[in-house]
Amino acid sequence: MHPDDPSDQKLTDAHPTTHPGDVASTERTIGRHRVPEPPRRPLLGSTPIRIALATGVTCCLSLVAVATARGDGDDPIRSVEPLAEAVADRAAIADERASRSLDRDLAPARILPSPTATPTPAPTVARKAPKKPVKPRRPRPVAGLDQAQMDNAKIIVDVGLDLKMPRRALVVALATAMQESNLYNLASDVLPESADYPNQGSGSDHDSLGLFQQRPSSGWGTVAELMRPSYAARAFYSALNEIPGWQDMSVTAAAQAVQISAYPDAYAQHEDRATTVAAALTA
């Protein structure tokens, strides 16, 4: 009979494939007390694995689509390379920017004072004591004068220099004060109030006061004014300037023209000393 005859195939399939002894063999293999193994699921039947595979496939397809669109028809595999390079360049730029930002100096933090903090007292600065005014150097006496006389002579000379008076006017004023008061600032016994002002003695020639023995009753000034040596010297120089041609007069004549004294020739005796004192105080 031919092997391809269908009748033979049917007869062959009709024979039982299991022998009676096979049943017992199967029972021995399984055993009465063994739990049959659960059926195994196929590997792709696991839900997490299927999700992961689907996600990976989607990402790959997206990258290929983007690379294909940018490559304008180029090979998709080769188009992925520029994309990877672009991603790497962007990462390098971001890293560089981050490095630059680390190089910048941080703004100083503003420290707010604590409301309960005790304020730090300001450092105490030692203040220097104010310097005492330096007294003007007193002139050294000359021509037989004492210190009080020399101090008064200096006042007379300083006032004349301040008024721009010539040297001869200084000599006339000094000679006049030497004759009238011996260069002392004198009060008057006739005017008791004159003793209330600084003085270096007193006289009794009417109401005559001060270095030039000027009288308040004659209009020279008040008692307080005439007891100030600087005022008395200024009053004398003002009166001397009113004498026409006093520069050409002798010392005695110029002094007499101002003082109108009962002894007009008495001033001449002091001319030499007055010249010496004027020279010492203007040197």
Side-chain angles (χ1 to χ4, degrees):
M1 192 175 290
H2 196 275
D4 294 333
D5 190 357
S7 62
D8 290 342
Q9 292 179 2
K10 288 180 182 180
L11 291 176
T12 304
D13 294 339
H15 291 287
T17 58
T18 309
H19 297 281
D22 293 338
V23 175
S25 178
T26 303
E27 290 178 358
R28 285 197 301 269
T29 303
I30 297 174
R32 294 180 180 181
H33 300 288
R34 292 183 182 179
V35 179
E37 294 180 3
R40 295 183 181 180
R41 293 182 180 180
L43 181 61
L44 296 179
S46 177
T47 301
I49 294 176
R50 284 185 291 174
I51 293 174
L53 288 175
T55 303
V57 171
T58 303
C59 292
C60 291
L61 292 176
S62 299
L63 290 174
V64 171
V66 172
T68 303
R70 291 188 177 181
D72 295 332
D74 294 339
D75 188 1
I77 297 176
R78 295 181 180 179
S79 300
V80 175
E81 295 180 358
L83 179 61
E85 293 179 0
V87 172
D89 292 342
R90 290 180 177 272
I93 293 173
D95 183 63
E96 183 180 357
R97 289 180 179 175
S99 300
R100 289 180 180 178
S101 63
L102 292 177
D103 294 338
R104 295 177 183 174
D105 294 333
L106 297 177
R110 183 179 180 185
I111 301 175
L112 298 177
S114 176
T116 59
T118 304
T120 304
T124 304
V125 179
R127 295 184 179 180
K128 295 182 180 181
K131 294 182 179 180
K132 295 182 179 180
V134 180
K135 293 183 179 180
R137 185 176 180 181
R138 302 179 72 178
R140 184 175 63 85
V142 296
L145 303 179
D146 61 23
Q147 190 62 60
Q149 291 173 308
M150 196 68 182
D151 292 342
N152 290 329
K154 185 177 186 306
I155 294 173
I156 294 172
V157 170
D158 289 346
V159 172
L161 295 175
D162 185 61
L163 295 174
K164 310 298 182 185
M165 299 298 290
R167 171 72 68 86
R168 187 165 181 79
L170 306 181
V171 174
V172 172
L174 289 171
T176 302
M178 289 176 180
Q179 173 60 32
E180 298 291 347
S181 65
N182 198 20
L183 281 175
Y184 289 117
N185 190 30
L186 301 179
S188 175
D189 295 336
V190 178
L191 297 173
E193 62 176 303
S194 62
D196 296 336
Y197 301 96
N199 63 85
Q200 297 163 331
S202 62
S204 56
D205 184 8
H206 304 289
D207 58 346
S208 300
L209 297 172
L211 292 176
F212 296 91
Q213 290 292 286
Q214 296 155 329
R215 302 176 62 179
S217 58
S218 299
W220 286 94
T222 65
V223 174
E225 291 172 340
L226 296 175
M227 289 300 296
R228 286 166 40 209
S230 59
Y231 175 88
R234 189 174 296 271
F236 178 84
Y237 287 122
S238 298
L240 181 63
N241 272 330
E242 294 178 359
I243 304 299
W246 67 266
Q247 296 89 345
D248 300 328
M249 296 180 180
S250 63
V251 171
T252 299
Q256 177 61 20
V258 175
Q259 296 295 107
I260 311 175
S261 172
Y263 307 97
D265 298 328
Y267 303 104
Q269 60 182 328
H270 305 288
E271 183 174 353
D272 292 340
R273 283 205 309 162
T275 302
T276 302
V277 172
L281 294 173
T282 57

